[in-house]
Amino acid sequence: MYIKMKFSNFPNAVIKENVDYTVKEITNVIKKYGPRESGNDNCFAAEKHLKKELDQFCDETHFEEYKMAPKAFLHFTKTVAVLIIIAVIAGLVLALTNVISGFFAAQCIVGVVVGIGLLITIFEFLMYKQFADTFYKKITAHNLVATRKPRGEVKRRIVISGHIDAAYEWRPLYYGKGKYNLMGLSMGGAIGGAILSFIIAVITIIANFADFGAFSTFMLNYSYYFHILTAVFMVGLFLFVDFKTISPGANDNLTGTYAAVCALRMLDMAGVEFENTEVVAMITDGEEAGLRGAKAYAKAHKAEFTSEGVETAVLCCDTLTDLEYLNVYSRDMTGTVKHDQKFSQLVLDSAKEAGYNDAEFANVFFGSSDAAAFTQEGITATCLAAMDPAPADYYHNRRDNYDRLVPKAIETGYKIIIASILNFDNKE
């Protein structure tokens, strides 16, 4: 007779051993495999290392290939910056040299170019659309999938996911954090300036055809100089991402990667065998390139994961570090994606059962997690993360190394994950 296990009966020693294992393994991966740019050989080598580990306690492991352009996602920072700087300078030169009469035509040029830049930013950075990929060289990347099968028929499936690739360094976070927040000044100034420039250009064009008296005169003769300020902010946007420096990615997101690995490892060590629940560890590549790996996997498995025969839920883990910010992120992709409420509640209840009462529903208000890619495909998903949204001083820069790991946060995250798996199995 199959007796379902409760979290209170799960051996705490197994969890603690896996936390120690995680710290050692993350240190080893960073030292041995080097910078893990999305889709590069180091990423794949690290995934092969994980596969050897997973082979010891999983019924089946395999890689799934897909194509992606690693730099297409964040390269908008350079493309948009260059386009706007050129447009502002060109308009100014044409107006001052009387090639065009006054600043009206220059306002039209800036308005169109800034509008295009804002569209690129919205599609790439806010909506995570593969908008610019066509213009970039694609490479072959891999997702790693490991499965622990139940003893009987599969009636439900829970996927624990984490991404193995690391981020390009964001210069304002590395150089500015701790003294003053260059992140807000750089990105906020550029995007805010672009929005205001677009509005000013539109108002000026309208003012050219409608007689608003002194206001029209002011807008046509003087408002263009605001665009020069926007162009200055664009220099900061151009320098925002250092594509030559890769974060070690110890916390973001080798902690999430090993959360997926250790979920299955802990079940094996504790001798837990489910009757009808399949548990999957899914290690994605390309999260830092715009969720490319998760999007490819979700699209490939949509029919399987949304079929009525097997209830499927995906728990994405991303950065288990800052314990005071350990929450269930039920809203994602800058607040535009809402994850499954029932599954999010299950994970939140599991956190409290695991002894962490401070967890609450939260919102990924800037950026996105892999969970959003699954929810967008209609697959039940949510995200568990513990990172200071300020953001943390190690976020997307070289400080995110193994010396910044927080074992207590990893342990708490692991308890919540195990409790979530057991509670998912215990569902009627």
Side-chain angles (χ1 to χ4, degrees):
M1 180 179 176
Y2 173 61
I3 301 176
K4 295 187 176 185
M5 177 180 278
K6 294 182 178 180
F7 175 75
S8 58
N9 296 325
F10 195 88
N12 193 53
V14 168
I15 296 174
K16 288 186 175 296
E17 194 281 336
N18 274 267
V19 173
D20 293 338
Y21 166 82
T22 294
V23 172
K24 292 176 184 176
E25 277 291 288
I26 289 176
T27 303
N28 177 49
V29 166
I30 291 174
K31 288 182 176 181
K32 186 173 182 180
Y33 299 106
R36 301 181 315 284
E37 178 184 15
S38 300
N40 75 355
D41 291 339
N42 292 350
C43 250
F44 193 30
E47 285 184 300
K48 289 177 180 176
H49 170 82
L50 290 177
K51 186 177 185 301
K52 290 181 179 179
E53 294 294 305
L54 288 161
D55 282 339
Q56 300 176 49
F57 45 84
C58 293
D59 296 300
E60 190 272 339
T61 62
H62 69 275
F63 291 108
E64 295 188 8
E65 293 184 356
Y66 68 97
K67 296 288 185 180
M68 75 164 171
K71 292 183 172 64
F73 172 54
L74 282 176
H75 212 265
F76 83 91
T77 54
K78 297 191 182 299
T79 303
V80 170
V82 169
L83 286 174
I84 293 177
I85 290 171
I86 290 175
V88 171
I89 293 175
L92 183 64
V93 170
L94 290 173
L96 293 178
T97 56
N98 294 318
V99 173
I100 55 179
S101 179
F103 282 99
F104 172 70
Q107 293 276 8
C108 293
I109 293 170
V110 172
V112 170
V113 173
V114 170
I116 292 171
L118 287 172
L119 282 176
I120 293 172
T121 303
I122 290 169
F123 281 119
E124 281 290 348
F125 196 64
L126 295 182
M127 299 176 67
Y128 284 70
K129 300 291 185 182
Q130 297 181 26
F131 183 71
D133 292 51
T134 304
F135 306 103
Y136 292 84
K137 180 181 178 182
K138 291 183 175 62
I139 61 173
T140 300
H142 304 81
N143 291 322
L144 171 61
V145 184
T147 304
R148 187 173 174 84
K149 298 179 180 178
R151 295 185 298 189
E153 177 188 0
V154 178
K155 295 183 179 179
R156 58 181 65 89
R157 176 191 299 112
I158 184 167
V159 180
I160 311 299
S161 176
H163 71 88
I164 196 168
D165 59 316
Y168 299 115
E169 182 164 270
W170 290 8
R171 287 188 179 98
L173 291 179
Y174 178 66
Y175 292 106
K177 194 65 178 177
K179 296 180 180 178
Y180 47 89
N181 195 345
L182 285 178
M183 172 79 173
L185 181 64
S186 182
M187 181 67 80
I191 295 177
I195 293 172
L196 286 175
S197 274
F198 181 74
I199 293 172
I200 287 172
V202 171
I203 292 174
T204 304
I205 292 169
I206 295 172
N208 181 69
F209 296 103
D211 186 7
F212 296 139
F215 177 75
S216 292
T217 302
F218 174 82
M219 293 300 293
L220 287 167
N221 293 332
Y222 299 104
S223 67
Y224 191 87
Y225 293 104
F226 180 85
H227 302 321
I228 297 173
L229 180 61
T230 297
V232 171
F233 276 114
M234 288 300 151
V235 175
L237 183 64
F238 181 83
L239 297 173
F240 191 88
V241 181
D242 180 0
F243 287 100
K244 294 182 179 179
T245 304
I246 312 296
S247 162
N251 293 287
D252 181 16
N253 184 37
L254 284 178
T255 55
T257 293
Y258 275 93
V261 172
C262 287
L264 274 62
R265 189 173 186 265
M266 287 186 286
L267 292 174
D268 181 73
M269 291 178 66
V272 178
E273 292 187 11
F274 296 127
E275 185 69 23
N276 301 112
T277 300
E278 180 178 85
V279 187
V280 177
M282 201 267 290
I283 312 301
T284 64
D285 188 359
E287 194 270 358
E288 302 293 1
L291 319 183
R292 298 308 193 243
K295 282 178 174 286
Y297 186 81
K299 185 176 181 180
H301 294 270
K302 179 177 181 177
E304 175 188 1
F305 284 6
T306 57
S307 66
E308 294 183 0
V310 179
E311 180 186 4
T312 300
V314 181
L315 175 57
C316 292
C317 303
D318 199 323
T319 311
L320 298 175
T321 310
D322 303 318
L323 191 55
E324 62 270 35
Y325 297 102
L326 179 55
N327 292 310
V328 179
Y329 286 81
S330 57
R331 296 194 75 93
D332 214 320
M333 199 170 281
T334 319
T336 62
V337 172
K338 185 177 181 180
H339 294 312
D340 184 84
Q341 183 62 36
K342 289 183 179 180
F343 184 55
S344 296
Q345 187 66 55
L346 182 146
V347 178
L348 185 65
D349 292 341
S350 298
K352 298 184 186 304
E353 184 180 348
Y356 186 72
N357 295 315
D358 294 331
E360 57 187 24
F361 290 133
N363 175 20
V364 182
F365 64 86
F366 183 78
S368 183
S369 78
D370 271 343
F374 290 96
T375 294
Q376 286 181 319
E377 289 291 342
I379 299 168
T380 297
T382 198
C383 175
L384 179 71
M387 189 189 77
D388 182 355
D393 70 333
Y394 56 82
Y395 181 64
H396 285 196
N397 66 74
R398 68 194 76 175
R399 283 189 286 265
D400 189 10
N401 217 327
Y402 50 81
D403 61 337
R404 298 296 297 273
L405 294 170
V406 182
K408 182 62 177 177
I410 296 172
E411 179 182 347
T412 304
Y414 283 12
K415 288 179 178 179
I416 296 171
I417 290 166
I418 285 295
S420 297
I421 295 171
L422 295 175
N423 286 331
F424 188 77
D425 175 65
N426 287 333
K427 289 176 62 178
E428 292 298 332

